[in-house]
Amino acid sequence: MSDVLGSIWWMIVALGVLVTFHEFGHYWVARRCGVKVLRFSVGFGKPLWSRRDRNGTEFAVAAIPLGGYVKMLDEAEGDVPAAQLDQAFNRKSVWQRIAVVAAGPLANILLCVILLWAMFVIGKQDYSATLGSASGLAADAGFQRGDRIIRVGDRAIDTWTDASIALTKAAIDGADLPVDVETAAGGTATRTLPLSRLPAGFDQENVIGLSGLVWQHWVTPAVIGKVAPGSAADGVLEAGDTVTAVDGQRVYGFADIARQVDVLGKQGSGAMVEVDRKGQRLAFELTPRWTKHPDAGKGHYWALGLAPPDEVRMPGYDTRLHFGPLAAVPAALRETGKLTSDSLGMIRRMLTGEASLKNVSGPITIAQVANVSAKRGVDWFLWFLAAMSLSLAIINLLPIPVLDGGHLLYYLIELVKGSPLSERHMVAGQYVGLAALAGLMGLAFYNDILRLMTRLVT
């Protein structure tokens, strides 16, 4: 329940910040253009709090925290007193109207840069793009444990987050990808990851796993949490033992144990299992047994009967991106550029059918990510807010009527033809825009619910 409440709370906080900044952009430019602003509302519905300033603008916080709006004096929305006609939005020049409408998305882009600047000044904690193991396509390409990815294609890599995004984009494009790594020995090498060999219709949310790459921080420490009764290790190994080697092969995590045990089981041989028990190095000869898998439908497998602790602590972050106040400015601009490129690239891929529409997320997923980001720390929550702010700007600039981009499209048409678009065409466009927006929201909710159901089932 705490996660549910946390998700709701941090979603409200995020929306409050992003919507306030977006609407303030509209408000600030409208006032500079001489437009009378009647109401500045954060949220929809009945106001929970409101006040008026000396210019007659009502500032309100409403009950439904799912957006906001700036209501301006406009003849299209009601009668305007003759004395105030010069303050009506519709009476302003087309360039002034463009400036007012574009100010909201531009404010969100500016907020994105500010948030990323603050994140870099504080210091962004993350994991390095170092591999814990490699199998399948990655092993075929020569990737090895300890390789640290430093470049994917022409993109420099600082963290595993950067690497994951770059590899996912390349997989969607179906491209074999040159990847530069720093090896465990300290040298450098270029390995070509054959992403074109991924199966048709692959899960685009699991590109890293399908490629055979396992990040170092994903590796579960080989500390024994429990020993299954009647298993090969029962009465020999104990909870709390740390497995350090199997058959002379060093063990870094439970995945290494599983691979070695499977090989031994198929060979029908036993091997020495080395453990650290309270600082004492011990070795025991064990033979894997053909064991029924605890998950129904998964058959049998070779096992020693070992399981990790119920709660496994992940290792701490090993990379910190930190800059001084001045150096953080270009760093924030570069990060904004990368986020913009990634977002626009994903939209393009979805429109062309290259990327799955499952990548569209709705409020449920966004709320969950907000909660996880807040738990990780201020730096991660600032990154989440920056990414959301940029996404809000990009979505609002799409040429869909009812969005800011749709209004900008109308004004651009007005510039070309020398007169406003007819009311009939504008109304038709509004209906099309509402239908498109409803479809997009329906898809987002569907994906959210599907993700929830998948987690419940698995």
Side-chain angles (χ1 to χ4, degrees):
M1 180 59 71
S2 61
D3 278 342
V4 173
L5 294 176
S7 297
I8 294 172
W9 167 250
W10 290 113
M11 178 70 164
I12 291 173
V13 170
L15 283 177
V17 172
L18 302 183
V19 168
T20 299
F21 217 86
H22 179 94
E23 299 304 335
F24 183 77
H26 290 311
Y27 166 81
W28 190 84
V29 174
R31 294 291 299 133
R32 297 303 174 280
C33 291
V35 177
K36 183 176 179 61
V37 179
L38 303 177
R39 174 180 286 179
F40 182 120
S41 178
V42 177
F44 298 107
K46 184 179 179 180
L48 300 175
W49 171 90
S50 67
R51 63 173 289 272
R52 287 187 185 277
D53 68 2
R54 57 189 177 85
N55 297 312
T57 301
E58 179 189 9
F59 292 86
V61 177
I64 306 174
L66 296 177
Y69 62 92
V70 168
K71 183 178 181 180
M72 292 172 274
L73 192 67
D74 195 324
E75 290 177 286
E77 297 188 11
D79 295 332
V80 176
Q84 296 183 335
L85 283 175
D86 63 325
Q87 298 180 65
F89 175 74
N90 64 291
R91 292 292 182 108
K92 299 301 177 180
S93 72
V94 65
W95 285 111
Q96 287 178 310
R97 281 177 277 144
I98 286 175
V100 172
V101 171
L106 291 177
N108 280 124
I109 295 173
L110 175 61
L111 178 60
C112 174
V113 176
I114 293 172
L115 291 168
L116 291 173
W117 174 85
M119 179 194 75
F120 283 128
V121 169
I122 293 171
K124 169 83 180 305
Q125 303 291 324
D126 209 333
Y127 295 107
S128 68
T130 302
L131 298 183
S133 65
S135 61
L137 298 181
D140 292 345
F143 286 91
Q144 300 174 6
R145 182 195 311 279
D147 282 352
R148 183 173 68 86
I149 296 175
I150 55 178
R151 181 171 293 276
V152 173
D154 58 358
R155 178 169 176 164
I157 300 299
D158 295 313
T159 66
W160 75 281
T161 304
D162 292 337
S164 298
I165 292 171
L167 291 168
T168 298
K169 286 171 55 181
I172 291 173
D173 293 339
D176 291 341
L177 188 66
V179 179
D180 294 343
V181 302
E182 183 179 281
T183 66
T188 58
T190 299
R191 314 197 193 285
T192 301
L193 189 61
L195 295 174
S196 61
R197 287 168 50 190
L198 287 172
F202 66 89
D203 182 0
Q204 295 178 1
E205 295 182 357
N206 186 33
V207 167
I208 303 302
L210 293 173
S211 301
L213 299 169
V214 176
W215 300 121
Q216 181 174 269
H217 67 276
W218 284 358
V219 177
T220 305
V223 178
I224 300 172
K226 61 187 81 170
V227 179
S231 65
D234 187 23
V236 181
L237 302 184
E238 302 175 359
D241 288 349
T242 300
V243 180
T244 58
V246 174
D247 196 26
Q249 299 294 314
R250 186 177 175 185
V251 164
Y252 296 86
F254 263 89
D256 298 322
I257 298 175
R259 279 192 292 272
Q260 284 298 105
V261 168
D262 186 60
V263 171
L264 293 170
K266 290 175 180 176
Q267 292 175 346
S269 61
M272 299 302 293
V273 177
E274 300 173 40
V275 301
D276 183 307
R277 179 176 295 170
K278 298 179 181 179
Q280 186 178 8
R281 300 295 296 273
L282 302 173
F284 304 93
E285 186 170 359
L286 296 173
T287 302
R289 295 180 185 173
W290 190 239
T291 308
K292 185 176 181 181
H293 202 285
D295 293 338
K298 290 192 175 181
H300 290 67
Y301 69 118
W302 292 104
L304 296 176
L306 308 178
D310 292 332
E311 183 178 344
V312 179
R313 292 185 178 275
M314 294 294 289
Y317 295 124
D318 55 14
T319 299
R320 185 168 182 251
L321 303 178
H322 179 255
F323 300 92
L326 292 179
V329 174
L333 291 172
R334 286 194 301 271
E335 188 70 12
T336 300
K338 284 200 297 185
L339 286 174
T340 302
S341 175
D342 292 339
S343 299
L344 292 176
M346 186 58 71
I347 291 173
R348 176 186 62 79
R349 289 175 177 88
M350 285 192 286
L351 290 175
T352 58
E354 297 172 80
S356 170
L357 293 178
K358 292 180 181 180
N359 291 298
V360 177
S361 296
I364 297 174
T365 298
I366 293 171
Q368 292 172 334
V369 174
N371 186 45
V372 171
S373 301
K375 285 183 175 181
R376 285 185 171 182
V378 176
D379 52 342
W380 277 87
F381 191 63
L382 288 173
W383 187 90
F384 165 77
L385 282 178
M388 284 294 297
S389 188
L390 184 63
S391 296
L392 184 60
I394 292 173
I395 290 171
N396 265 284
L397 287 172
L398 294 176
I400 300 175
V402 311
L403 296 178
D404 291 334
H407 292 294
L408 291 174
L409 178 62
Y410 289 158
Y411 300 146
L412 290 175
I413 293 173
E414 181 178 341
L415 279 174
V416 172
K417 67 191 290 279
S419 61
L421 202 62
S422 69
E423 186 174 340
R424 181 170 64 88
H425 285 100
M426 290 181 69
V427 170
Q430 298 282 51
Y431 281 122
V432 172
L434 285 171
L437 206 56
L440 186 62
M441 290 176 64
L443 175 64
F445 272 110
Y446 172 79
N447 286 342
D448 278 358
I449 293 169
L450 194 63
R451 289 188 186 100
L452 281 176
M453 294 301 295
T454 301
R455 291 194 188 103
L456 289 174
V457 171
T458 57

